[in-house]
Amino acid sequence: MSEQRPINVLFIASEAAPLIKVGGLGDVAGSLPKALRKILPAKMKGRALDVRLVIPFHSAITQRLDSLQLVAAFFVPHPKGKIAARAFQTSVEGVPVYLIEGSSILSDQSVYSSDPRVDANKFIFFSLAALEMARAISWPVDILHANDWHTAISVYDLKIRRPQDPFFKETKSVLSMHNMPYMGAGSESVIYEFGIPECTCHGLPEWARNIPLPLGMFAADYLLTVSPNYANEILTPQYGCGLQDFLNSRKETVAGILNGLDETKWDPNSDPSIHFNYGPAQLNIRKKNKLALQTEFGLDKDENIPLLILISRMDQQKGIDLAVQGLRLVQDLDWQVIFLGTGDPIIEAACRSLEVELPNRVRAAIRFDLNLSRRMYAGGDVLLIPSRYEPCGLTQMIAMRYGCVPLARSTGGLKDTIVDDSENESNNGFLFEEASPEDFATTIRRAIEVFLNRKSWQLLQVNGMKSDFSWEKSAMEYSMIYQKLLGEEA
Ligand code: GLC
C-alpha cells in the first residue's frame, strides 16, 4: 500500500555542516535532517521519514569529497535556453546529500558574495535545479522544506507548477526562516530573467512582490521560524520587517520550533580542543580552563574576577556596540572580557578601541577561531549575547552545556532558552529587556553580584549544563507539521 512508502522530504539549503558551514543555518541543515531520519515509523503512523538534503556544489566542498556518485544530468528552464545541471550524491552521517553543479554555481565563488546579483543568480538557479533534480531521479517529493531566502524561490516555483505538473501535484512546502531581514533584495532582475512569473500575491505589500523570501513566504504551505518566541515577534511591527500584516493574515500556518544542538559535538566531557575535560559534578576542574584562558590572553590570573566572553559574528544584529558601551558604564566593578569574532569593520574597531582604553582587562581577538571559541566556552564565566534580534541563537545553548552562564537580551530564541528567575528551579542565566547600554550594564551588575556568591553561581551553571537542547523533541515537532500537511495527523 502506498501508505507504507516513507514520507519523502527534500530539505534544501544554501549550506550544511560539516560539508560547508558559514553560519547557524549550516549547523541546522547539518543536524536536523539526521534527527528527522531517526524518528521511528511507529511514531509516524508506520511511515518513516526519508529526508534528503540538497545543497549547491560550492567550490569549497570540491576538494574534500572522494566518494561522489553522479546521479543525474538535467536542465533548468531559462527563457534564453535551458541551463545544464548535474547532481552528485554522497552520504553524511547516514543522510543522503545531493550536490548540485551548474554554470551559475561558479567554481571560484565563495558561499555568499557581497554582490546580490551574483548570489541571486546562483541561488535561484539552485532553487529551480533542486526541483528538476527530484524529477530527474524520479523521487516523488512529499514535502519540500526550504530555508531562508536562498532557497525560497523553490517554494514559489512549486506553487506555480503544482496545478499543471503531475510530478509535483501532491507536494507540500515548508519554508523555515532563520534570519528574516535577509530577504534577497537585489534579486529582482534575476527572478525576471529566469522567466519566473510575476506574483499578484494578494496580501503581500507591493515592495515585496519580487523579492525571494516574501515570495516563498507567500507560497509556502507552512511557515516556520527557529524559535516559538521569534514566531510571535515577527507578527509585530518591531520585528515583522514590514510583513507583519501579511504574517498575521496567515497566522494559523506560522509556527516556531526551537533549534536543537548536536550534543555529541558540544560536550565538555569529551571536547578535545579544551585543556581540561569536565562534567557538571567537576566544576573545580573547569576553573583550570579559566586560568589557562587568562594566561593565554595575558590577563590577571585570578579565578575570583568574573571573566566575560563574547563570541559572535560582528554584525549589527548582534548588538555588540551595546556591550562595548555598556561595559564602559560598569568600570567600577572588577571584570575581564574577551571578544572573539569578525565582520563589520566598525564593530571590530569598537572592540579594539575598548581594548586600547582598558588594556588590563579587555582583549579583542578579531578572527574566526573555532578551537579558541571552545576554550572560551570552557573557561569563561559569562557569555554576553546582546542581540537586537535573535531568531534562535546557538551560542547560549553551547555556553550552558559548558557551564558558562549566558547574559542575553530578552529576544527571540534567547528568551525561549534562558531562564532568568531565581524562584524558578531551572534558573540558568540573565536577560535584559531594552537594547540599550544602560539596561545591559544594570544586568552585568546583577550578574556579578550573583557571581560573588559561589553557591548561587554554581546552581546556575549546573542548571545550564543539565538543560536538554537535543534535537529529538524539535524533530518530532517538524514531523508533526509534515504529517499535518499531508493530512496524516498522528
Ligand atoms: C541565523 C539566526 C540565528 C539562528 C540560526 C540558525 O543565523 O541569526 O538566530 O540560530 O540562523 O537557525
Side-chain angles (χ1 to χ4, degrees), residues 24-25 28 178-179 226 259 313 317-318 390-394:
L25 169 61
V28 175
H178 300 258
N179 206 334
V226 283
N259 284 338
R313 200 162 28 89
Q317 169 193 351
K318 301 294 182 179
E390 197 61 76
C392 180
L394 204 61

Side-chain angles (χ1 to χ4, degrees), residues 17 31 84 93 98 127 133 166 212 241 267 280 305 310 332 339 403 465 490:
S31 43
E93 296 168 26
Y98 300 104
S127 298
M133 178 206 74
C241 305
D267 182 357
I305 303 178
L310 189 150
D332 54 305
F339 295 96
M465 293 179 88

